[in-house]
């Protein structure tokens, strides 16, 4: 592959920068007290699904205006075909778009709906399902959450036990069970869930993929508070929830294959390197500033070496994202490449937080932002980074994918 960007790619970068300057609402500033979002795609200070329904009318209106501006370009779902409300961009252009949004520090919109559900419906949905759901996602009007994990089934997804049974008429399913760790479920309009529809069949042959209106009777969504005091996810209880059979995606009992293709679309961390690059630059800028001078242990060899090491890792990560995008544009499907990217990205996130907090010594224990070095930025990051090696599949599972599909090693 060619590592240098073409004239068109550089021009597209410039176009995105100009678009942000012109269209990002000035009354939609980052919230300085917000915790880091845990999803790799999200930028600090914003939680678009929550902002969109915020109690603050100014923030709510600004979040919606931003979504409308992006939607007019097809940039909420840039990689979808134009006929479905996307922009039909190549994987490389999508990467550039996401990098520039992140570099500008502005939020992307509708991540789960645009990245996971949309492509799944385009591949497996009925024409009626596509017509019902894709426009709302592409316009930023409806948000989605992914209900796969359960208290007894995370890595071992085929072990899930939420059931869906056809009612007497056969025209609807009755869903019962519990999901957990569902990102942004408390802000979602719709859920896509994997449920057990045949208990007698082998584990992964008795599952189905359903679209569920989050406001259906019988659904209880409870936010889960994490150790930072933030509520990035929720648990969901289903008590005889009635779901029309027309909301079944793909064939009944073949939901495993639909879910696997949804997970393959989870392009974890596309453009996320920029988030960490910004963090490293901010850190170096702070250490060079008068306020940061007291922490210039960075002038000694060990921390300098560590910081340089993080920077090298960032560049490698950056190139991995490019390699995956090129492969996709050449018609390939990145699968183990996505695992390599996710694994390295998650570990880099944790190492970066450790390197930075070690520079602040005992001050890194300050949780209160006021008066703390760098407003305790990296102390907060150190806590949020813990989830990085779990979400979207744990590092052990990523290593298995790399070993079996990438290196061709036998399954253990
Ligand atoms: C911030 C965050 C957001 C999330 N968002 C969502 C979401 O939106 N929707 C959703 O459905 N889920 C979500 N999850 C859940 C996530 O997908 C699961 O936590 C993850 O798949 C791990 O499952 P588990 O928690 O059941 O752990 P387990 O699968 O029980 O794993 C426990 C430990 O055992 C290891 N392990 C398990 N199996 C193997 C194996 N075969 N070989 C080697 N080691 C193994 C794991 O790697 C891990 O270290 C989220 C999680 C987090 C932290």
């Amino acid at each position: 592959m060619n590592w240098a960007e073409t004239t068109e790619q550089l021009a597209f970068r410039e176009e995105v920068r100009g678009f942000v300057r012109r269209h990002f609402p000035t009354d939609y500033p980052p919230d300085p007290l917000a915790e880091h979002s845990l999803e790799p795609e999200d930028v600090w200070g914003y939680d678009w699904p929550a902002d969109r329904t915020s109690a603050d009318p100014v923030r709510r209106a600004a979040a919606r205006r931003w979504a409308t501006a992006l939607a007019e370009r097809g940039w909420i779902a840039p990689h979808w075909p134009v006929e479905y409300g996307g922009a039909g961009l190549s994987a490389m252009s999508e990467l550039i778009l996401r990098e520039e949004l992140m570099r500008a520090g502005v939020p992307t919109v509708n991540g789960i709906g645009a990245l996971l559900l949309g492509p799944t419906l385009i591949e497996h949905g009925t024409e009626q399902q596509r017509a019902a759901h894709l426009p709302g996602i592409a316009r930023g009007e409806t948000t989605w959450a992914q209900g796969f994990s359960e208290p007894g089934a995370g890595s071992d997804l085929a072990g899930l036990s939420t059931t869906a049974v056809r009612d007497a008429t056969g025209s609807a399913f009755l869903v019962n069970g519990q999901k957990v760790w569902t990102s942004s479920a408390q802000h979602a309009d719709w859920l896509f869930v994997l449920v057990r529809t045949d208990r007698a069949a082998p584990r992964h042959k008795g599952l189905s993929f359903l679209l569920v209106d989050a406001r259906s009777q019988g659904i209880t969504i409870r936010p889960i508070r994490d150790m930072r005091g933030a509520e990035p996810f929720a648990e969901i209880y289903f008590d005889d929830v009635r779901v029309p059979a027309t909301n079944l995606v793909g064939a009944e009992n073949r939901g495993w294959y639909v879910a696997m293709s949804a997970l393959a679309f989870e392009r974890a961390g596309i453009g996320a390197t920029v988030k960490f690059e910004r963090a490293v630059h901010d850190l170096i800028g702070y250490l060079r500033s008068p306020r940061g001078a007291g922490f210039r242990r960075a002038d000694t060899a060990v921390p300098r070496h560590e910081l340089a090491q993080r920077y090298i890792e960032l560049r490698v990560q950056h190139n991995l994202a490019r390699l995956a995008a090129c492969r996709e544009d050449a018609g390939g499907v990145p699968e183990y490449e996505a695992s390599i990217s996710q694994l390295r990205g998650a570990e880099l996130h944790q190492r970066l937080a450790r390197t930075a907090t070690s520079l602040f010594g005992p001050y890194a224990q300050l949780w209160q932002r006021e008066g703390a070095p760098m407003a305790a930025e990296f102390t907060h990051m150190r806590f949020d980074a813990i989830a990085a090696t779990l979400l979207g599949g744990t590092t052990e599972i990523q290593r298995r994918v790399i070993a079996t599909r990438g290196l061709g090693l036998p399954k253990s």
Side-chain angles (χ1 to χ4, degrees):
M1 71 171 272
N2 185 0
W3 298 106
E5 289 194 336
T6 63
T7 320
E8 290 79 36
Q9 287 168 343
L10 290 170
F12 184 57
R13 260 186 208 288
E14 215 31 71
E15 185 186 334
V16 179
R17 283 180 201 154
F19 170 84
V20 173
R21 273 195 303 275
R22 281 192 304 281
H23 295 286
F24 189 70
T26 47
D27 53 354
Y28 190 13
D31 174 357
L33 291 182
E35 284 300 343
H36 290 262
S37 168
L38 299 177
E39 304 291 327
E41 306 266 333
D42 295 339
V43 291
W44 168 82
Y46 293 99
D47 181 353
W48 185 81
D51 294 342
R52 175 185 160 266
T53 52
S54 165
D56 171 359
V58 176
R59 197 163 184 85
R60 191 169 66 233
R64 287 180 187 243
R65 279 204 310 288
W66 176 230
T68 305
L70 285 170
E72 277 168 9
R73 292 285 190 109
W75 284 356
I76 288 182
H79 54 297
W80 295 8
V82 177
E83 66 203 271
Y84 295 125
L89 293 189
S90 66
M92 189 54 104
S93 299
E94 184 194 359
L95 177 63
I96 291 172
L97 170 67
R98 293 194 188 281
E99 279 182 353
E100 288 307 322
L101 294 179
M102 205 167 261
R103 191 160 280 146
V106 300
T108 50
V109 161
N110 249 355
I112 293 171
L115 285 167
L116 270 80
L117 183 72
T120 306
L121 284 189
I122 291 170
E123 192 172 320
H124 299 279
T126 61
E127 213 31 75
Q128 182 260 335
Q129 288 167 345
R130 290 184 202 127
H133 298 296
L134 296 181
I137 298 172
R139 287 198 296 261
E141 289 166 4
T142 38
T143 57
W144 287 77
Q146 176 201 25
F148 285 3
S149 305
E150 299 187 0
S155 305
D156 183 22
L157 189 55
L160 62 83
S161 57
T162 293
T163 56
V165 179
R166 292 244 183 199
D167 71 359
T169 66
S171 64
F173 291 97
L174 285 180
V175 179
N176 282 285
Q178 187 198 344
K179 298 287 173 183
V180 75
W181 314 127
T182 318
S183 296
S184 293
Q186 65 271 44
H187 307 297
D189 303 304
W190 282 82
L191 316 165
F192 54 97
V193 295
L194 201 54
V195 290
R196 186 162 301 285
T197 35
D198 182 353
R199 277 192 243 201
R203 295 189 331 147
H204 67 281
K205 295 205 166 141
L207 302 174
S208 298
F209 191 104
L210 289 181
L211 309 177
V212 183
D213 185 335
R215 288 174 192 85
S216 308
Q217 203 177 350
I219 292 190
T220 309
I221 301 182
R222 289 201 198 123
I224 303 175
R225 182 157 294 186
D226 67 17
M227 63 179 164
R228 307 167 304 159
E231 295 178 345
F233 34 42
E235 53 187 349
I236 311 176
Y237 294 87
F238 296 85
D239 183 10
D240 274 340
V241 176
R242 206 168 175 281
V243 179
T246 47
N247 287 11
L248 173 70
V249 181
E252 193 164 340
N253 298 324
R254 303 273 299 167
W256 178 255
Y257 306 98
V258 182
M260 284 307 110
S261 110
L263 291 178
F265 292 123
E266 192 169 13
R267 305 175 190 194
I270 185 169
T273 321
V274 173
K275 175 169 163 174
F276 303 133
E277 258 170 25
R278 274 167 56 108
V280 168
H281 284 133
D282 289 352
L283 175 64
I284 293 173
Y286 180 81
L287 293 171
R288 285 186 172 144
S289 74
R291 286 203 71 198
F295 302 101
R296 281 219 199 103
R297 291 182 194 82
D299 280 344
T300 57
V302 173
R304 278 177 87 96
H305 176 80
E306 248 193 70
L307 263 178
Q309 192 59 36
R310 297 296 86 83
Y311 197 78
I312 293 165
E313 289 161 3
L314 273 166
R315 297 314 301 165
V316 172
Q317 192 68 14
H318 184 82
N319 288 336
L320 274 175
R322 270 170 172 60
L323 192 65
C326 277
R327 196 148 293 175
E328 209 175 323
D329 284 340
V333 180
E335 42 169 40
Y336 68 88
E337 291 95 335
S339 287
I340 294 174
S341 202
Q342 184 165 336
L343 171 67
R344 286 188 57 99
E347 292 187 341
L348 171 58
H349 190 170
Q350 293 179 344
R351 278 198 295 271
L352 176 58
R354 266 203 304 274
T355 297
T357 43
S358 69
L359 289 170
F360 294 124
Y363 288 89
Q365 295 174 62
L366 293 177
W367 186 250
Q368 201 74 25
R369 293 166 193 262
E370 211 178 319
M374 276 203 84
E377 180 78 2
F378 287 97
T379 312
H380 287 250
M381 189 201 262
R382 188 146 182 187
F383 276 62
D384 84 55
I386 290 168
T389 48
L390 296 171
L391 71 107
T394 64
T395 44
E396 288 83 355
I397 299 302
Q398 307 300 347
R399 285 197 166 89
R400 275 174 78 97
V401 173
I402 298 165
T404 52
R405 295 198 208 142
L407 298 172
L409 295 174
K411 287 189 177 156
S412 59

